[in-house]
């Protein structure tokens, strides 16, 4: 579908947060700037990159509404800075390495969207293959992310009211969505492909534990119950045992390889 370019089309704030992302930042920038929907303000918050990211941003500077490069307290702090700046009716976070699925995605807003949060489908891009991001029912939010953050649009007024809770290092977006759900905000599943999410970096082992702990604390904050407490206790124990076994197996294999090489 083609953008109507009507003056009543809502302004969309698209935000990219980046730190030392020279390898991937340009594909993200291009996917935003190439949108056929023209009523977009593009905001880039850089955490003080030193790897050439700034030079790439400057190359596209005439089409970027606002960008800055300063040290921050992490990804959610950078996102909160963008929320303060954003003036659009809707806001989306398309971070470094991620990209819109096509140049037509934002044309969704040529139709009035009656909701507080819109979300769609996402594909995770790995080094060897791609996989769809599996969506779940909103009532399963206590233990599963119902949709990909990059595939979501939130009313900016709501984001300014909520903001991301910096108490959570990995799960602040999940906390925000859970809060909105418990406060009966209106979610709408658009059921269209919104984005490709960069999964090549992967979560570190330390990050996996932190993510589960964040999700546990968020779940117990909004839906406290002994069943949920036990679920996360066993889940954390299972993951820790799995990681320990992986380390032990890896160490043994490494030792055997070294023995073979010595012979």
């Amino acid at each position: 579908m083609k953008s109507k370019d009507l003056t009543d089309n809502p302004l969309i704030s698209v935000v990219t947060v980046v730190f030392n992302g020279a390898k991937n930042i340009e594909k993200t920038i291009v996917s935003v700037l190439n949108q056929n929907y023209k009523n977009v303000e593009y905001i880039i918050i850089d955490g003080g990159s030193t790897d050439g990211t700034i030079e790439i941003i400057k190359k596209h500077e005439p089409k970027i509404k606002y960008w800055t490069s300063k040290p921050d307290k992490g990804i959610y702090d950078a996102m909160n800075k963008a929320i303060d700046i954003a003036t659009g009716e809707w806001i989306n976070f398309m971070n470094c390495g991620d990209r819109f699925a096509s140049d037509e995605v934002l044309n969704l807003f040529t139709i009035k969207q009656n909701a507080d949060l819109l979300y769609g489908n996402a594909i995770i891009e790995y080094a060897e293959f791609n996989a769809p991001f599996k969506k779940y029912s909103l009532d399963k939010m206590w233990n599963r992310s119902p949709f990909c953050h990059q595939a979501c649009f939130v009313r900016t007024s709501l984001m300014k009211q909520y903001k991301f809770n910096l108490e959570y290092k990995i799960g602040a977006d999940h906390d925000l969505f859970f809060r909105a759900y418990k406060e009966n905000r209106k979610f709408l599943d658009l059921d269209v492909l919104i984005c490709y999410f960069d999964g090549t970096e992967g979560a570190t082992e330390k990050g996996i534990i932190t993510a589960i702990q964040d999700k546990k604390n968020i779940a117990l904050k909004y839906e406290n119950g002994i069943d949920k407490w036990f679920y996360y206790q066993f889940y954390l124990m299972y993951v820790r045992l799995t990681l320990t076994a992986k380390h032990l197996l890896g160490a043994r294999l490494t030792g055997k390889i070294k023995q073979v090489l010595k012979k």
Side-chain angles (χ1 to χ4, degrees), residues 60-246:
H60 299 279
E61 190 169 23
K63 296 182 180 179
I64 298 170
K65 176 67 179 294
Y66 176 91
W67 75 274
T68 186
S69 180
K70 295 178 183 178
D72 52 52
K73 298 174 184 176
I75 187 169
Y76 293 116
D77 181 43
M79 288 180 178
N80 281 342
K81 291 178 180 180
I83 293 168
D84 287 336
I85 296 163
T87 62
E89 184 175 334
W90 297 89
I91 189 168
N92 165 270
F93 292 90
M94 193 61 59
N95 291 329
C96 180
D98 309 322
R99 59 190 173 93
F100 284 114
S102 77
D103 298 343
E104 306 288 330
V105 170
L106 294 185
N107 287 336
L108 291 164
F109 292 96
T110 59
I111 302 170
K112 185 175 177 62
Q113 303 292 351
N114 184 24
D116 298 305
L117 299 94
L118 309 170
Y119 63 96
N121 306 326
I123 292 176
I124 309 173
E125 293 186 301
Y126 296 104
E128 302 292 331
F129 63 94
N130 293 346
F133 184 100
K134 188 172 182 179
K135 293 187 297 187
Y136 290 91
S137 171
L138 296 175
D139 62 6
K140 303 292 185 184
M141 200 176 296
W142 67 270
N143 76 333
R144 299 180 187 276
S145 297
F147 48 80
C148 176
H149 186 192
Q150 284 79 351
C152 178
F153 298 85
V154 184
R155 290 200 180 273
T156 306
S157 57
L158 186 63
M159 289 297 303
K160 289 181 183 291
Q161 177 186 339
Y162 285 3
K163 285 196 162 181
F164 293 107
N165 187 341
L166 301 188
E167 173 186 347
Y168 305 111
K169 303 302 181 186
I170 295 178
D173 51 336
H174 187 71
D175 172 67
L176 187 144
F177 298 142
F178 211 153
R179 178 182 173 184
Y181 173 69
K182 298 303 288 186
E183 292 185 0
N184 296 314
R185 300 292 183 173
K186 186 174 180 180
F187 289 73
L188 178 62
D189 184 355
L190 299 170
D191 197 26
V192 295
L193 182 60
I194 301 294
C195 68
Y196 289 88
F197 171 76
D198 184 7
T200 57
E201 297 297 327
T204 64
E205 291 178 358
K206 181 180 178 182
I208 291 171
I209 297 298
T210 301
I212 296 171
Q213 289 174 329
D214 274 0
K215 197 164 283 188
K216 171 189 172 185
N217 292 334
I218 292 164
L220 296 180
K221 178 168 70 171
Y222 294 111
E223 292 188 6
N224 195 7
I226 193 67
D227 57 332
K228 294 174 178 61
W229 185 87
F230 273 114
Y231 170 86
Y232 277 103
Q233 290 301 107
F234 281 109
Y235 188 23
L236 281 165
M237 181 173 65
Y238 166 78
V239 171
R240 288 189 173 112
L241 287 172
T242 300
L243 293 176
T244 299
K246 180 180 176 182

Side-chain angles (χ1 to χ4, degrees), residues 29 33-34 40-42 59-66:
I29 292 174
L33 298 182
N34 280 354
V40 180
E41 65 170 12
Y42 190 25
K59 185 170 77 170
H60 299 279
E61 190 169 23
K63 296 182 180 179
I64 298 170
K65 176 67 179 294
Y66 176 91

